Amino acid sequence: MGNADYVCPSTNVERAHPVAVAVPPPQSFFKSLKASMKETFFPDDPLRQFKNQPPSRKLVLGLQYVFPILEWGPRYSLEFFKADVIAGITIASLAIPQGISYAKLANLPPILGLYSSFVPPLVYAMMGSSRDLAVGTVAVASLLTASMLGNEVNANENPTLYLHLAFTATFFAGVFQASLGILRLGFIVDFLSHATIVGFMAGAATVVCLQQLKGILGLDHFTHGTDLSKKKPRLFWISAMAPLTSVILGSLLVYLTHAEKHGVQVIGQLTKGLNPPSVMNLAFGSPYLSTALKTGIVTGVIALAEGIAVGRSFAMFKNYHIDGNKEMIAFGPFSRSAVNFNAGCKTAVSNIVMALAVMITLLFLTPLFHYTPLVVLSSIIIAAMLGLIDYDAAIHLWHVDKFDFVVCIGAYIGVVFGSVEMGLVIAVGLSLLRVLLFVARPRTLVLGNIPNSTIYRSVDQYPDTNNVPGILILEIDAPIYFANSSYLRERISRWIDEEEDKLKSSGETSLQYVILDMGAVGNIDTSGISMLEEVKKITDRRGLKLVLANPGGEVMKKLNKSNFIDTLGQEWIYLTVGEAVAACNFMLHSCKPKSATTESQKWSDNV
């Protein structure tokens, strides 16, 4: 039994409709496009500080935006300088041995690791927005370089070509990162979810540790020095000084015992001096240019995702904001940034101090690393890698979201048993699959009335809610697009079938109205509108009335332009579910049914 079984006075619908749902005033295409572009690329509205400012002030603000050091520099104090000097020297003691070790990990000359800890920190100190990031070489980026380039060129057989490809790959990584920042495309990095990063980092760390075992063969135990600063932040200096101490003691032992003459491999001669220009080493004409391009892009994305995540974590602790798009110009490894944070750094001047310490090392101290045994470098790499395997994060993912845990494990297994690229593809593929499932299979919920109120919530979340006799209330929990319109049409039809079967079996009032709560439908496309038209035809054939509740402005604008509002009737669109239910219930009592029932009246009296 549907609405066809009722006879209703024509004025009842108007009486039941307290306030009409408004259609937003029309906007020009270019104005609408401008608003959409702003929301997509400028959600933080970085230009708002320039509003209503004189030209001279706009110039100052512009320079401060590009070079944040101009903003906090005038407020810099001696107290901050003392803290930054201590932090800078501390992270330099970690950066120097780590830089040499990570260059070895990338199959590159060790001196390049020191070069990477000299110029980049100076650039970041002027242009970065984080106070705590310590910029320099990153273990995972080194592993990616060795893995992806090593598949095409053997570093031992053709070291010159490999070196030129590495320079080219880092050039592409820098251009890619800067382009993302300038074009405000930082949201692309968000496709690497937290679960993806956890699994990928752990997998990469496992691979690196296995690779380095040959370098420390014969050592049964190795300290987890990098864990100390996590468990006891006050002991950060132990984990920070451990690598440099290992280098000094190992070099001294080799020098005194002449162990290099007895099979112990050492670094050898390191060139003194600052970075020579490497522009001429870019291999744009190489047949392996595509490999260098792919390596640069993948390395850039991974390093950005890690660096931004680390920067935001420390910014949260100190209650300040970092600009994700500006962070595209640089990235920082977690272990070094954690030491910088725990050492009490106040500003990015700690990066400048670190760079100066590295510069002094390049100019005067490189001969001291001649006798550094490679086994020490392998140990430093493994110590850093152990800190990247975040067991607690994986366990947390399992407890909170099983699918995120699957993504994490997928990335880990892909890296360990396949390759770095395979692990990345698996993790990103699973993440995108989940996004597609969210879009293509949105939730639809049956709502019920919370007793003694006009509030309507999910009957699954609130089992004590009351069903409304003769009315089915459904909530659509996502925008309606071409990807989910067919699914929603079938799902709504199934809800109607199930509700009618339930009512028939219980002998309750037959279904008369289907209310769609559109509050969570932020947008709708033409396929979604066609779906609503089909649902209306389905309800009409069954003698039911389709009612919409709480449609947003964008939805109303498109429903109006498509004439669906005229098809449905403005009187069947309500501001809230409560108003829609009250109107439908009013209609049930005002209309004269061909077969009388009292259940709706009983429900109305209870409410």
Side-chain angles (χ1 to χ4, degrees), residues 269-291:
Q269 185 65 36
L270 292 180
T271 306
K272 292 174 63 174
L274 302 180
N275 313 31
S278 56
V279 177
M280 302 306 296
N281 293 327
L282 298 178
F284 291 126
S286 171
Y288 301 104
L289 182 62
S290 59
T291 300

Side-chain angles (χ1 to χ4, degrees), residues 351-367:
N351 276 283
I352 298 177
V353 175
M354 177 184 70
L356 293 176
V358 173
M359 181 186 72
I360 294 172
T361 302
L362 287 169
L363 291 175
F364 306 108
L365 304 180
T366 49

Side-chain angles (χ1 to χ4, degrees), residues 472 492-500 511 514 542 544:
L472 174 62
I492 292 171
S493 298
R494 198 174 106 198
W495 279 120
I496 294 174
D497 292 337
E498 293 174 353
E499 183 70 12
E500 288 187 329
L511 186 61
V514 177
R542 296 188 177 198
L544 306 175

Side-chain angles (χ1 to χ4, degrees), residues 208-229:
V208 172
C209 288
L210 293 175
Q211 289 179 347
Q212 298 303 312
L213 282 179
K214 59 183 179 182
I216 59 170
L217 191 63
L219 295 182
D220 297 325
H221 304 286
F222 189 76
T223 177
H224 292 199
T226 53
D227 294 338
L228 286 170
S229 62

